[in-house]
Structure formats: C-alpha cells, structure tokens
Amino acid sequence: MFFRCKNCGGNIVYNPDKGMMVCPHCGGEETQDKKTGEGENYNSLETCLNCGAPIKPGPFTSAERCEYCGHYLIHDERVTGKYKPSELLPFRISKEKAKEILYNAFRKKVFAPSDFLSNQMLEKMEGMYVPYFLYDMNVNGEFEANATKTRRWISGDIEYTETSIFRIHRKLAAKFNRVPVDASDVMPDDSMDLMEPYDYADLKDFREPDLSGFYSECYNKTSDELAYRAETRARNDASKIIRNSITGAYTTITPMYENIDIASRSDKYSLLPVWQYIYSYKNKLYTYYINGQTGKLVGEAPRSMGKILGYAATLWALIFVTFMVVMHAA
Amino acid sequence: MRNWFRFFRIWFLVCGIIIIICVISMIWNKQNAVNYERVNTYCTESERVFDYGDVLTDEEEDKLRALIAEKEQVAHCDIILLTMKESLEEYAKSYDPNVPSNQYVMIKADNFYDEYGFGWNKTKESDDGDGCILLDNWFRESDGKIHTWLSTSGSVERQFSSSTIDRILDDVYDYVEYDPYRAYKTYVEDIARYMGNEETKLEVPIYVYFVIPTIVAIIFIAIYASGKEGKKTVNESTYVGENGINFEVMYDQFISKAISQRRIERSDSGGYGGGGGGGGGHHISSGGHSHGGGGHSR
C-alpha cells in the first residue's frame, strides 16, 4: 500500500513537526487516500505499486522508499495479521531537526573528514520504525547477607576495635513496565539500548498511515525468543534495586543468598522511531542513530589520520617554540 | 586550511604574546646587565692568569684570559688563576708558624689576592672586593703532596658554601693531572655558573623540551579524537515506575558485637638538628681581609 494525496495525487507522508499527515507537494493535511494493490498476480514485495518498477525488499522490510519513483511503500503482509504492531511511537524529530542534532554534536570534531557533515550527505538520513517488544514483568527477589560495622578508637596505649554483626534480609516485589528489546537483527543491540529511554506516554495505537514517509521492519524473532533479554535485564535491575536499599554504613557486606524470579511476563509488539545516518569513509561504515522522539544521538565520529597528525604537529611545534623561548628568557 | 587557522587562532595569539613578552624581557634584562660594570679603581692590574708554574702554553693562557674576561662579565667578580712550582712552607710559616702543610697555599692565595687589590667592586683598601683566586702549586711540599687552594672574597665568599668550593675543586681535579688547561677552564666556567646570572638559569634537560609538547599533543589527540556520542541514560529503576518497587521484607537485624584490643607500640625517636649553611672556611687573612675558601691535595 501507499498513501496518495487526495488533492494533488502526490505521496503524502507523516510530518513529525505537525504530528499529522501532510502532503509535501501541496501542503494538504490529512488528505490521505490509501492505495492497495489488487489482482491475483500482484505482489507488493516484487513491484512498486505506484510505478511498477521491480523492488527487492529485505527479508523483514515492512516499509521502504521506491528507488525509482521515490514513493514510500508499505508492504501489507508485513503490517497485518501476526505482524500487526499493537502500538507505535510517532516521530517527533523531523529530518531537519535530526540533521541539526548530528551537525551540532560533531561540528567541533576537527578530525572528521570535510564532507562528513555536508548537507548533501546528511540528506541521506532515513527515518526508521524499529520493531520492539515491550515487556511487562512481575519480579520477585529475595536477598540475605551478613554485614559488619567496624569502629576503632584509641585510649591510652590501647587500640580498641569493635565489630558489630548484622543480618540483612530483603524481599522485593517489583513491577517492570515496557522493558524494550529491539526485534530487528539489522539494528545493533548495543546502539538500540543506548537509544533509550523513550517516553512511552506518546505511544498510541498503530495506524498504517503513520508509517508513510519512513522505513520499517517487522519483528525478526518472536517475543518468546527475545524474552531472555528483557528477563536478564529485569533480574539485574532487581538485584541492583535490592542492593541499593542497603543504606546502613556497613564495613563489609557478604551475600549469603539471592534468588530472583520472573513471576509473570507479557509483551506488546511496538514500533519505535529512529533516524539513521550512514557515512562511508575509507571502506568503513559509520552509523549514527538518533532517537526519533527524544533526539538522543548515538555514534562515533570518523577520523581523518592526516588531520589528526597535522593538528597534533601544529600544536607540538607551537608549544615547543614557546617553551624554548620561555626557558631561554627565564 | 581555513578551519585549521580558525581552530588554532587562540593558540597562535597566546603563544605569540608569550614569545613577545619573553623577547622584550630578554632585551630589557640585557640592557640592565650592561650597567653592572667593574668599579674597582684600586687595582688596575688587568692580568688574570699568573702561570708562574709554567704548566700552560702561551696559547692556552691567552684562551684562558679571553674566557675569564667573558665570564667575569657574567659572574660580576674577579677570577684569578695562579700556578706555582715552589715550596711555600717557609713563606707561610713566616706568617703563622703553626700552619698545617695543606694551608700553605691558603696563605699565599689570600695574600696574592689582597696584595694586588683584586675585587670587582673594591674601591678602597679596606673593601673585600668580589672575586676569587685558584692557586695550584705544583711543588710537592715536605708532606709529599701537591696542594691547591680556592680562595673566595666578597660576594663569592658569601655565596659559596664549603660544598660548592669542594665541588669546584673536584671538577678541577678531574682533569688537572693530564690536562691542566681544561682543569682551569672548568674552574672559570664553574665560577660563572655558580655566581651571577647563570646560576639563576633554570637547568632543564634537553629531552624535556621534546617530552612536554609531545605529552600535550597526545592529550590533545585523546580529547579530540574521541568522537563518541551517546551514553547510557537508563538505570535499574527506569522501567519499574513509581509504584513498581515494593519491599515485602526489609530489615537489618543486629546479631552480636565483639571488641578486640591491641597495644600500640611507641618508639622513641629524637629530632634531627638543622644543619648550618652558607659560607665555607671563613678566616681573616694577614692583610686583615675576610676570605672564604677550601683546598684539595693530590
């Protein structure tokens, strides 16, 4: 499917600034008309519904841009049925804003190659709805430890050491809400983890037009297959919460018993927004992700070795000469 | 290139200002230093190298004279070298019958200096003028030794401790046996180094000039080369919400208490007295002038 503007016939897309469908051609708002392919021979994964050009979507691609006509296509079978997301967090950061964030973050990196932040390159940035499972979990934890407090004082020629022994006991019932696990193999887990946190207050029920203008994937693995990531995280977090609750000024704490159970678990399949910028330099790909809701940036600036050496040499020479003169004058 | 210049403009400015200040201060210092001239009107003797022992060639003497003339401007004191090759026993004993053999040279050196009236700032007989004299007597006295004496006066006497004098004599003795010229040259250079302007110069090993900029450059690279963005901004309670944490059991129970004791070993130790400093071997010469100094024998 794709969405066509009723006024001008152009491809209407979701506009993060206005928070609604806006036609980039005529400015029409919420003027979308859903176009779906018909006929027995039609396969939305093989030809572009708009121009008929052949397309080759990845194994999980659910929304993409046709290279030939530039229309944003949504593959019906990957957003319906078992692949129908229950929630979607719409983009709030527009492409212009995302470019600005990247530019401001790296413009002072003098070692980056000159075209790294050129508008021409930044224009290649794409918005992606990344498939996520958001897990709700009830976690029970129990913890026991022996602790000591030591006090020392001196009286006359004698040093006294007083050791008090305590027993610590904790039972925790914690409710975890919407622990996110990205369900796309393409997106690196560590980068996606750094995209957090999202503000879930903006989550809304999934509707197809919101995908228009962006790339997207359906989940690559099932929620059961990915649950271990959420559970590991909940266990670690619960353990930390318990340890943080020990506030007495103990000299030593020796854990004796710890057990953390996931009592119950449920999940929702959701799409979360991420801007992606890929920059290629000296046969290496540098990928940048910007949280499409909060604007948080993850990525590492490329470095030009020539620039590093040139700048370092300049600095070296400046200090050397100045130091020489100063020491000579002193 | 434009970015490069823009990036370093503050550096260029700061370093440029520092360099200009240094150059100005150097010029200023130089002009001031010129004013400090020899004011001795009492002694008009311009000779500084008295090679009575004839251990130097004429050429070496000339070189030493030139060196002394140069270093005196730095040290602001008279630098005299006297070599001999004759017994001073009788001479010294005529002044002090109890003088030990290693101090014959002291009496001669002090008297030689006083008789000529050396001293950078000596304007009348009673002044102790700034200066020093190295007497190296190549004659083996009855004790079978060759004695050397460095006598100091005025500012040199005040500034040189016994250890400084020892150090200079050690330097001289490093060479004196096989290359007297080099030994006496070292003496002149040492005086200039320990006196006057050259002494205040900070001695920095040459490698420091390379190490410091290298360290700064490495730090600079480390700071600017790390272009990583994106830190972890979630913690263990991000997804538990406000009411998500409920401790059903939470107690810290006191079990027991134990006290141990240990005797503290105290050791008695006295303090050390401070050592006296400054000035070496002060005495009054037969001419009534104060001299410092010290001797070595070989």
Side-chain angles (χ1 to χ4, degrees), chain A residues 72-237:
Chain A
Y72 282 96
L73 308 171
I74 298 157
H75 304 307
D76 299 62
E77 51 272 69
R78 289 180 180 169
V79 293
T80 53
K82 65 168 180 172
Y83 283 127
K84 185 174 189 287
S86 57
E87 297 169 316
L88 177 144
L89 188 58
F91 272 92
R92 250 209 219 151
I93 306 282
S94 65
K95 188 172 194 170
E96 286 310 310
K97 185 89 179 83
K99 280 156 70 174
E100 204 180 302
I101 288 168
L102 200 70
Y103 181 81
N104 285 335
F106 292 119
R107 76 196 156 92
K108 285 193 177 139
K109 300 295 173 194
V110 291
F111 297 151
S114 309
D115 72 336
F116 170 56
L117 294 174
S118 68
N119 194 49
Q120 194 188 347
M121 293 301 295
L122 291 178
E123 193 52 42
K124 294 181 181 167
M125 190 180 276
E126 290 289 356
M128 295 204 48
Y129 276 109
V130 180
Y132 270 89
F133 288 110
L134 306 181
Y135 294 88
D136 288 351
M137 283 166 287
N138 284 316
V139 177
N140 294 329
E142 188 168 6
F143 178 80
E144 283 174 45
N146 289 336
T148 62
K149 273 184 193 173
T150 313
R151 208 160 62 89
R152 274 205 178 82
W153 69 94
I154 291 169
S155 171
D157 269 0
I158 311 247
E159 182 192 70
Y160 295 90
T161 306
E162 179 195 84
T163 307
S164 308
I165 299 172
F166 295 84
R167 166 151 292 244
I168 293 172
H169 192 193
R170 296 284 185 277
K171 257 189 180 171
L172 169 74
K175 262 174 116 80
F176 284 85
N177 295 320
R178 291 196 170 114
V179 175
V181 174
D182 87 272
S184 163
D185 290 339
V186 185
M187 305 306 263
D189 288 348
D190 49 354
S191 296
M192 288 304 105
D193 288 350
L194 289 174
M195 288 274 86
E196 297 171 31
Y198 289 89
D199 179 4
Y200 293 136
D202 285 351
L203 271 173
K204 57 181 196 176
D205 289 342
F206 173 73
R207 39 170 230 152
E208 289 165 346
D210 292 338
L211 287 181
S212 186
F214 303 100
Y215 281 64
S216 187
E217 277 194 340
C218 57
Y219 57 83
N220 300 184
K221 289 196 177 94
T222 65
S223 67
D224 286 338
E225 284 174 306
L226 293 168
Y228 76 95
R229 287 194 64 202
E231 291 187 358
T232 307
R233 192 158 164 187
R235 278 178 212 278
N236 291 340
D237 286 356

Side-chain angles (χ1 to χ4, degrees), chain A residues 104-106 109 194 288 297-301, chain B residues 226-231:
Chain A
N104 285 335
F106 292 119
K109 300 295 173 194
L194 289 174
Y288 304 86
L297 166 69
V298 173
E300 189 172 3
Chain B
S226 71
K228 250 203 171 110
E229 284 290 331
K231 289 185 180 67

